[in-house]
Amino acid sequence: MRKTHYMTFRNFLHKPSSKPSTKPRPFTAYSFVPFSPFAMLDPTILTIGGIVLGIAFIEQILNRWGVIDLADQFEKVMRFILPVTFYGALFYFFATFMF
């Protein structure tokens, strides 16, 4: 049988409790995004992306200047290079990324 502990109202208001009423539980937080978007600012990926964008920009300039034959050659090369570069950069990013 438990022993009842009596306390006056004045002591109840001015005296702190001897033990906390609830125990703190460990809280684990999970993130749905396992990496920071700033991780994509890798110099290698930025360099490869800049080169590809530069070649695409040169192709558009050649189209405007009327050098259609040379622009067509650029397009044929870029049709192969763009997917290879994209998947290569994606593979490089996940291979060098530290989880």
Side-chain angles (χ1 to χ4, degrees), residues 1-98:
M1 195 166 191
R2 292 180 131 180
K3 189 174 183 180
T4 307
H5 182 263
Y6 290 102
M7 191 180 245
T8 64
F9 183 71
R10 185 170 288 150
N11 286 342
F12 174 75
L13 287 179
H14 297 294
K15 184 179 176 185
S17 175
S18 60
K19 59 182 178 180
S21 59
T22 60
K23 294 181 181 177
R25 296 183 204 164
F27 180 73
T28 55
Y30 297 99
S31 174
F32 291 110
V33 181
F35 58 89
S36 170
F38 294 113
M40 293 188 186
L41 295 177
D42 185 28
T44 306
I45 293 177
L46 290 176
T47 303
I48 292 170
I51 290 170
V52 170
L53 285 176
I55 292 172
F57 186 67
I58 290 171
E59 179 188 346
Q60 292 298 318
I61 290 175
L62 290 174
N63 272 332
R64 287 190 184 176
W65 286 351
V67 190
I68 305 297
D69 295 335
L70 193 56
D72 189 42
Q73 295 298 323
F74 267 98
E75 183 205 353
K76 287 178 184 175
V77 170
M78 290 301 289
R79 190 178 294 167
F80 173 74
I81 288 180
L82 280 176
V84 170
T85 305
F86 172 75
Y87 289 118
L90 194 66
F91 176 75
Y92 172 79
F93 175 72
F94 285 115
T96 59
F97 182 69
M98 301 300 288

